[in-house]
Amino acid sequence: MDKFIEFSSKTQGRDKAYRVVQYASKLIGWGLQELEGNDEWIKKLSQLESHASLGRKFFRLGRSIESLRAAQVTINLVDPVLKTTLTVANINRALFLGVDNYLWMGKVGILKVDKGWDLTSSKFYFASIILSLIRDLYALYVGMIRLSSQAKLDSEDATKNSFRAKYYLHLLYHCLHENSEATIDLIKNICDLPLPGSKLGYFPNHNGFVGVCGTMSSLIGVYQVANPRMKLRP
């Protein structure tokens, strides 16, 4: 109970919970349409998805400043790969959130917003995910190099073709296991990629596909917020 209260008290926690509702509603609504289910339930799920999306936009008001502050921190990292990927990802995320705040104003009727800004928002979001994926792969690469240097295998056996494949598979397995934060973040970002990508035409704009990817990435996001040690840092 204490963990639930702690989770729900965080803005990120509420955002992730709303995100699960948003994409689960999309997925279930698509399933009912395919099964020619009750039209009233399909309509209610569509409204729930819309309300959850609007609520998330409200929770993200001002979050662009947090991303810019994060960029100020990551620009000082020593590792050039982390410095570049994280800083540019944070800047793109800040731009995405800034445009997203503008879109929210249009949704609630404060301003008249051109629909083209939705695509602009998706481009910034897509770029930030790509950079985050590069960062995840780099973390796993560094982990493999470290494990490789620590592996106590006979050098002659390791170079033979019969042992080489087993050696690298064994290394990859242990790398994914020992770098669970990077592995989980990689899976989340892979699932996130079609969400803006489908709007930009890079992936099928299919409610079932988007719903599955969104629900999976949202559940992983909930897990990361509930278990801060599983969050990839820096």
Side-chain angles (χ1 to χ4, degrees), residues 135-151 166-184 186 230 232:
R135 188 263 183 272
D136 294 335
L137 292 171
Y138 177 70
L140 291 172
Y141 170 74
V142 170
M144 285 192 71
I145 295 297
R146 185 178 65 254
L147 285 174
S148 180
S149 64
Q150 294 172 353
K166 291 181 180 178
Y167 168 72
Y168 283 115
L169 284 173
H170 176 81
L171 196 64
L172 178 61
Y173 170 78
H174 281 281
C175 177
L176 293 173
H177 183 265
E178 292 190 16
N179 296 276
S180 53
E181 300 93 340
T183 304
I184 289 172
L186 177 66
M230 298 307 297
L232 185 60

Side-chain angles (χ1 to χ4, degrees), residues 11 18 27 35 58 82 96 111 114 128 135 138 152 159 171 205 208:
T11 302
Y18 270 62
L27 178 59
L35 296 171
F58 176 74
L82 293 179
F96 155 67
L111 296 173
D114 191 310
S128 71
R135 188 263 183 272
Y138 177 70
K152 295 180 180 179
T159 56
L171 196 64
N205 193 5

Side-chain angles (χ1 to χ4, degrees), residues 32-88:
L32 287 175
Q33 279 186 325
E34 290 295 304
L35 296 171
E36 297 182 354
N38 189 294
D39 289 339
E40 187 178 346
W41 274 103
I42 293 172
K43 184 179 178 181
K44 286 180 179 179
L45 286 166
S46 178
Q47 290 174 340
L48 180 59
E49 178 196 344
S50 178
H51 290 318
S53 175
L54 193 61
R56 291 184 60 228
K57 288 182 185 298
F58 176 74
F59 287 138
R60 292 198 294 258
L61 288 174
R63 290 280 301 280
S64 57
I65 296 172
E66 291 180 20
S67 294
L68 289 175
R69 285 180 177 174
Q72 287 181 323
V73 174
T74 55
I75 195 91
N76 295 313
L77 292 173
V78 176
D79 188 301
V81 176
L82 293 179
K83 178 179 180 177
T84 303
T85 54
L86 288 175
T87 302
V88 181

Side-chain angles (χ1 to χ4, degrees), residues 150-220:
Q150 294 172 353
K152 295 180 180 179
L153 294 176
D154 184 86
S155 59
E156 184 179 345
D157 285 344
T159 56
K160 291 179 180 179
N161 289 332
S162 58
F163 288 93
R164 191 177 298 165
K166 291 181 180 178
Y167 168 72
Y168 283 115
L169 284 173
H170 176 81
L171 196 64
L172 178 61
Y173 170 78
H174 281 281
C175 177
L176 293 173
H177 183 265
E178 292 190 16
N179 296 276
S180 53
E181 300 93 340
T183 304
I184 289 172
D185 203 59
L186 177 66
I187 296 170
K188 182 180 76 68
N189 284 320
I190 289 172
C191 292
D192 270 337
L193 203 58
L195 306 186
S198 61
K199 293 182 180 180
L200 298 172
Y202 302 140
F203 293 90
N205 193 5
H206 187 280
N207 282 348
F209 175 63
V210 173
V212 168
C213 292
T215 302
M216 287 180 63
S217 68
S218 301
L219 290 172
I220 294 172

